[in-house]
Amino acid sequence: MSGHEKLSSSSCIKNGNPGCNHQDGSSRPLLEVRHLGYSYGETPALADINFTVHRHQITAIVGADGAGKTTLLKILGGLARKISGEIIFEGEAINTKPAWEVVQRGVVYVPEGMRVFPQMSVRENLEVGAYCNRSGMADRLEQVFQIFPELVDRTHFQAGLLSGGQQRMVTLGRGLMSGPVLLLLDEPFMGLSPKLVNRFCNSFRDLARSGITLLISGQHIRRVLKIAERAYILENGRITRSGVGVDLIEDQHLQDILFIS
């Protein structure tokens, strides 16, 4: 048996579509994706995707550029339809629901490179995020300020005048203002300095402890895997490995396909 085919029982790394989850094996997943497929015209983008996300955990989807990570998160967020398979959230199928209803149910997608509204204030930018869920807005605003205290003294600043890192805090805060149960983060570390990446990693851990579940995709492989309790490798539209995040860092196949040293 080759190294690519071996299973690691000690670290719970599995080939193909996964089912190994020691931490929450007896509980119903918050999100369950079953045999998901999607094509751009005649070109397959995702094929037979199966995975689960459990409550209050950070789960990661990692892979090379073009592997299908963004497409997958867009589908989960309700922004792409005409799919095969099922997406089960809190026990109910959402794969035919429109994006606004997916948001109302608590699945919130924060895309790569999402920008602030530069002429609007920080507070106005954050309040835009509550367009589908106005109740409890004051409490959610307080939560954003607890996670990103740097924004407290800048609520009336024009968002376009903030630093790049602070603008990223605003866009993430805008996602939190939707009242997410499950937060989908696409490349949240893109363009950030190492110091800010560490800062955001701590913020994501705080969010998970507060009760929000996170599904993160990205090419900052080591950073993402170090904070992920569960992780999946996506290659050419298929999940090929799964395991505990820190264990997958040492997986030889992952190192081979992503040139991690």
Side-chain angles (χ1 to χ4, degrees):
M1 181 179 292
S2 68
H4 179 74
E5 295 169 328
K6 291 179 181 178
L7 301 182
S8 171
S9 60
S10 61
S11 61
C12 191
I13 294 176
K14 297 190 71 178
N15 292 337
N17 283 325
C20 181
N21 191 330
H22 297 314
Q23 294 175 337
D24 289 277
S26 61
S27 65
R28 187 179 72 182
L30 175 67
L31 176 76
E32 187 173 2
V33 177
R34 301 173 180 169
H35 306 292
L36 177 66
Y38 182 78
S39 298
Y40 291 109
E42 298 297 320
T43 305
L46 298 171
D48 199 28
I49 300 293
N50 295 274
F51 71 93
T52 58
V53 174
H54 286 261
R55 290 181 184 274
H56 311 154
Q57 288 190 354
I58 299 175
T59 301
I61 303 285
V62 299
D65 190 28
K69 303 185 300 297
T70 293
T71 299
L72 176 57
L73 291 195
K74 283 183 176 180
I75 291 170
L76 297 179
L79 299 179
R81 285 296 178 248
K82 296 184 179 179
I83 65 172
S84 59
E86 284 188 299
I87 303 169
I88 309 298
F89 178 69
E90 293 190 316
E92 296 186 18
I94 62 169
N95 42 283
T96 61
K97 306 296 183 184
W100 65 266
E101 186 172 340
V102 172
V103 173
Q104 280 194 334
R105 287 171 178 254
V107 181
V108 176
Y109 172 56
V110 179
E112 173 189 353
M114 187 168 76
R115 300 181 183 277
V116 299
F117 299 106
Q119 302 301 319
M120 295 169 60
S121 72
V122 168
R123 187 184 183 98
E124 289 168 337
N125 268 268
L126 294 173
E127 290 176 345
V128 165
Y131 72 97
C132 274
N133 189 0
R134 308 297 289 183
S135 64
M137 188 168 65
D139 290 339
R140 294 198 299 277
L141 189 62
E142 180 62 28
Q143 181 187 37
V144 171
F145 291 149
Q146 288 176 356
I147 297 293
F148 300 122
E150 297 92 332
L151 300 180
V152 173
D153 295 330
R154 297 172 173 82
T155 54
H156 300 297
F157 284 31
Q158 282 189 359
L161 300 179
L162 300 179
S163 69
Q166 290 167 350
Q167 290 188 29
R168 187 66 57 83
M169 294 176 191
V170 173
T171 59
L172 287 170
R174 202 158 67 206
L176 292 174
M177 290 296 291
S178 300
V181 176
L182 173 61
L183 192 61
L184 311 173
L185 301 178
D186 191 4
E187 298 284 1
F189 303 140
M190 185 66 71
L192 296 180
S193 68
K195 181 178 179 180
L196 277 174
V197 169
N198 286 334
R199 167 76 173 80
F200 275 69
C201 285
N202 291 332
S203 297
F204 295 155
R205 292 187 183 101
D206 290 341
L207 288 173
R209 282 192 288 266
S210 77
I212 296 174
T213 304
L214 289 87
L215 178 60
I216 303 176
S217 79
Q219 297 183 64
H220 287 69
I221 306 301
R222 288 189 177 276
R223 294 292 188 185
V224 172
L225 291 181
K226 282 182 179 179
I227 63 171
E229 289 134 301
R230 190 78 188 149
Y232 302 91
I233 301 176
L234 190 63
E235 292 182 76
N236 300 316
R238 293 181 179 272
I239 290 177
T240 58
R241 283 286 201 281
S242 67
V244 177
V246 292
D247 294 330
L248 276 178
I249 293 174
E250 305 303 325
D251 183 63
Q252 186 60 51
H253 180 62
L254 179 63
Q255 296 182 22
D256 291 342
I257 65 170
L258 296 173
F259 307 106
I260 294 178
S261 57

